[in-house]
Amino acid sequence: MTDYDYDLFVIGIGSGGTRAARVAAAHGARVAAAEEYRVGGTCVIRGCVPKKLLVYGAHFAEDLMDARRFGWDVPADCKFDWKTLTGNVFEEVDRISKAYNTTLDSHKVEVINERAELTGPNSIRLASGREVTSKYILIATGARPHIPTCPGHEFGITSNEAFHLESVPKRILIAGAGYIANEFAGIFHEFGAKVTLINRSDQILRGYDEQIRDRLLQISMMKGIDFRFNAKFEGIEKQADGSLKVSMSNHAPIEVDCVMFATGRVPNTENLGLDAAGVELTEKGAIRVDEDNRSSVPSIFAVGDVTDRIQLTPVAIREGQAFADTIFGNKPTRVDYHCVPAAVFSHPQMAGVGLTESQAKQKYGSVKVYVSDFRPMKNVLAGRNERALYKMICDGETNKILGIHMIGPEAAEILQAAAVAVKAGLTKDAFDQTVALHPTMAEELVLMK
Ligand code: NDP
């Protein structure tokens, strides 16, 4: 391997890139990794981590209100300070980013804080002009928010900028109805903003179980979040008073203080020299890879959102690990994409694993659906009229569990354990045989009829 400067050169130090670099180095490879912005990538710097901390912060709005029913004297003028929260969140983000750097250092990965571009199948040019060669190259450059091309789109922000707002906008319009839209709708609503969510189609969270997402829609509307469907973005006009007038199809224009686009994420494949190296892209502009994360060029691999398979951090991490183990660890490994659990950190949370009811019906014809539709004990005492809904979808003949989908407090925390059972191919009987852990919400999983 000595003909090259490195055995592995990683472009992009996010979740997938970090795991690949660290594991390859642990297997004895000489590794360098380039990052043009900050080590940690979307998840740590402007995604999962800061978002989840805002979700925690936002949920206090409900907790403080509910606390009164539990005997706490919470003053009516209880105030929230956005700058305190975001300041603390940024400190935590810095801490994790530094921890990533420390891990890479301790594995002797050379971290290069520069943009890198391919110049060929084994060569890279850094922004400083330095040219390096590597036996293998891994692209892990992630994705960025898609911004619709409409007049005035430059007045809108994306989730990247949402963390850096000076204050909570009084009125915010969020375009899109997927993960990011519903999570930020919840966050801004809890902090007191008037939230309007608009989507081009007539539904939220396409791909999730219908009944579960209907429940989120119903609860969100009950809380005061406004939804407009079949509303295609037409443009944003900045008014003299600084407010933004948003036009859309099928609905009257609306005036807000902030517009946020949450209309999907596009792979970061531009200006990377992929053409020069001969790397093929998919129709959506993602790097086309095989089951071993190998691109159309045998020395170049890609993992994570830049490949647009499943845009989730734990999936990118698995892909990075599988790549490093396969190429440098003499341990051929492929990621199993079957039964990947996912969650939406809305208020309340949604989580699911496996097939939804309609997907299961299409695939298996005969399915049994077990449901628990209940009001969590805490909500009852708090006088909070929000019901949780858990669904278990089973094969009609064998009772094998095909999917579990839920909405309710801490749904994501509860689903992770249940996902093990679905992944292991257990049947409903295994749940029936398990004694309930009382009193919990999770016990509903073993009591479903
Ligand atoms: P999603 O794919 O979840 O949702 C995109 C939304 O935007 C949909 O409502 C879609 O409408 C709409 N949309 C898509 N393209 C356009 C367009 N050209 N013009 C107008 N509207 C459009 O994307 P997000 O941006 O919310 O998130 C990106 C990805 O990041 C997610 O898919 C997920 O993988 C990941 N993510 C995961 C999180 C988690 O695990 N909790 C949190 C945040 C992000 P429709 O589908 O109805 O047609």
Side-chain angles (χ1 to χ4, degrees):
M1 291 204 182
T2 47
D3 290 350
Y4 298 100
D5 298 327
Y6 303 101
D7 301 322
L8 172 65
F9 196 97
V10 178
I11 305 182
I13 317 183
S15 303
T18 301
R19 175 58 67 94
R22 170 168 79 68
V23 175
H27 286 313
R30 294 167 305 143
V31 184
E35 170 59 53
E36 65 177 339
Y37 186 53
R38 291 175 68 191
V39 170
T42 298
C43 173
V44 173
I45 309 294
R46 59 187 100 73
C48 325
V49 170
K51 181 277 309 286
K52 185 76 188 279
L53 293 171
L54 291 196
V55 169
Y56 279 129
H59 206 74
F60 279 100
E62 293 186 4
D63 292 339
L64 286 165
M65 206 186 290
D66 295 351
R68 297 190 182 110
R69 287 280 306 158
F70 288 84
W72 290 92
D73 181 10
V74 180
D77 65 345
C78 208
K79 287 196 184 64
F80 163 72
D81 186 63
W82 170 253
K83 283 284 182 183
T84 302
L85 173 61
T86 51
N88 291 339
V89 168
F90 295 147
E91 271 180 31
E92 178 58 8
V93 164
D94 286 348
R95 187 189 68 76
I96 301 175
S97 177
K98 281 189 191 118
Y100 270 51
N101 266 308
T102 307
T103 304
L104 291 170
D105 278 354
S106 67
H107 283 81
K108 304 207 168 19
V109 173
E110 183 184 335
V111 173
I112 301 170
N113 294 109
E114 285 179 51
R115 187 174 171 82
E117 284 178 28
L118 303 179
T119 49
N122 299 94
S123 53
I124 298 116
R125 187 171 41 236
L126 297 164
S128 59
R130 186 179 147 208
E131 309 249 358
V132 297
T133 58
S134 181
K135 181 164 189 197
Y136 295 105
I137 296 170
L138 180 73
I139 319 270
T141 47
R144 64 179 184 281
H146 160 260
I147 299 177
T149 45
C150 64
H153 64 78
E154 66 277 12
F155 298 123
I157 63 163
T158 68
S159 53
N160 289 353
E161 293 76 38
F163 301 103
H164 299 277
L165 287 170
E166 279 302 306
S167 56
V168 175
K170 283 201 169 59
R171 302 163 297 176
I172 182 165
L173 178 141
I174 302 180
Y179 282 80
I180 296 178
N182 280 286
E183 290 180 346
F184 275 90
I187 290 168
F188 285 121
H189 169 77
E190 300 287 329
F191 288 143
K194 170 72 199 143
V195 179
T196 306
L197 196 147
I198 72 167
N199 198 25
R200 61 179 179 180
S201 71
D202 61 355
Q203 52 186 294
I204 64 167
L205 289 159
R206 188 154 47 90
Y208 264 86
D209 189 273
E210 242 167 85
Q211 251 180 306
I212 301 287
R213 57 189 155 99
D214 277 358
R215 179 65 54 93
L216 177 65
L217 180 60
Q218 181 204 331
I219 294 175
S220 301
M221 286 169 71
M222 210 167 65
K223 285 185 199 282
I225 298 174
D226 222 359
F227 288 82
R228 293 186 179 191
F229 293 111
N230 299 311
K232 203 165 160 273
F233 225 84
E234 286 176 349
I236 310 175
E237 249 176 83
K238 193 156 193 162
Q239 319 243 82
D241 64 357
S243 66
L244 303 170
K245 186 173 165 189
V246 183
S247 314
M248 65 202 86
S249 60
N250 297 316
H251 297 267
I254 174 172
E255 264 181 37
V256 290
D257 306 297
C258 182
V259 173
M260 178 173 147
F261 297 111
T263 47
R265 295 176 61 84
V266 287
N268 284 324
T269 47
E270 290 88 1
N271 307 319
L272 272 177
L274 296 173
D275 274 0
V279 175
E280 269 177 34
L281 300 183
T282 66
E283 314 73 55
K284 287 185 170 171
I287 295 182
R288 192 188 296 286
V289 286
D290 66 13
E291 280 181 298
D292 291 314
N293 303 295
R294 194 184 290 263
S295 77
S296 53
V297 177
S299 57
I300 302 177
F301 292 71
V303 295
D305 288 2
V306 76
T307 63
D308 199 16
R309 286 174 284 184
I310 302 182
Q311 290 184 327
L312 294 176
T313 296
V315 173
I317 290 173
R318 292 226 163 191
E319 289 168 354
Q321 175 91 37
F323 157 76
D325 282 342
T326 303
I327 300 297
F328 300 103
N330 198 21
K331 193 175 144 199
T333 311
R334 283 182 175 167
V335 175
D336 176 0
Y337 295 93
H338 176 64
C339 278
V340 172
V344 184
F345 294 98
S346 41
H347 298 262
Q349 298 175 6
M350 274 173 58
V353 62
L355 301 181
T356 63
E357 182 177 346
S358 60
Q359 288 165 346
K361 278 182 178 154
Q362 264 181 15
K363 191 164 175 193
Y364 290 83
S366 143
V367 298
K368 277 194 209 149
V369 180
Y370 302 91
V371 174
S372 179
D373 187 339
F374 64 102
R375 202 166 159 213
M377 194 190 225
K378 189 168 166 235
N379 284 357
V380 177
L381 194 77
R384 182 169 289 284
N385 189 21
E386 276 178 40
R387 297 183 71 82
L389 178 64
Y390 293 3
K391 282 178 79 174
M392 185 183 281
I393 315 330
C394 298
D395 183 326
E397 278 166 28
T398 61
N399 236 3
K400 182 178 160 191
I401 305 165
L402 304 172
I404 295 181
H405 302 272
M406 37 205 296
I407 180 168
E410 306 301 347
E413 302 287 351
I414 296 167
L415 184 90
Q416 177 70 81
V420 177
V422 182
K423 178 77 188 156
L426 298 190
T427 61
K428 166 85 166 57
D429 307 337
F431 276 68
D432 292 341
Q433 285 155 17
T434 306
V435 174
L437 207 164
H438 184 71
T440 61
M441 294 177 285
E443 71 180 311
E444 295 298 326
L445 283 172
V446 298
L447 300 173
M448 280 196 214
K449 293 282 173 281

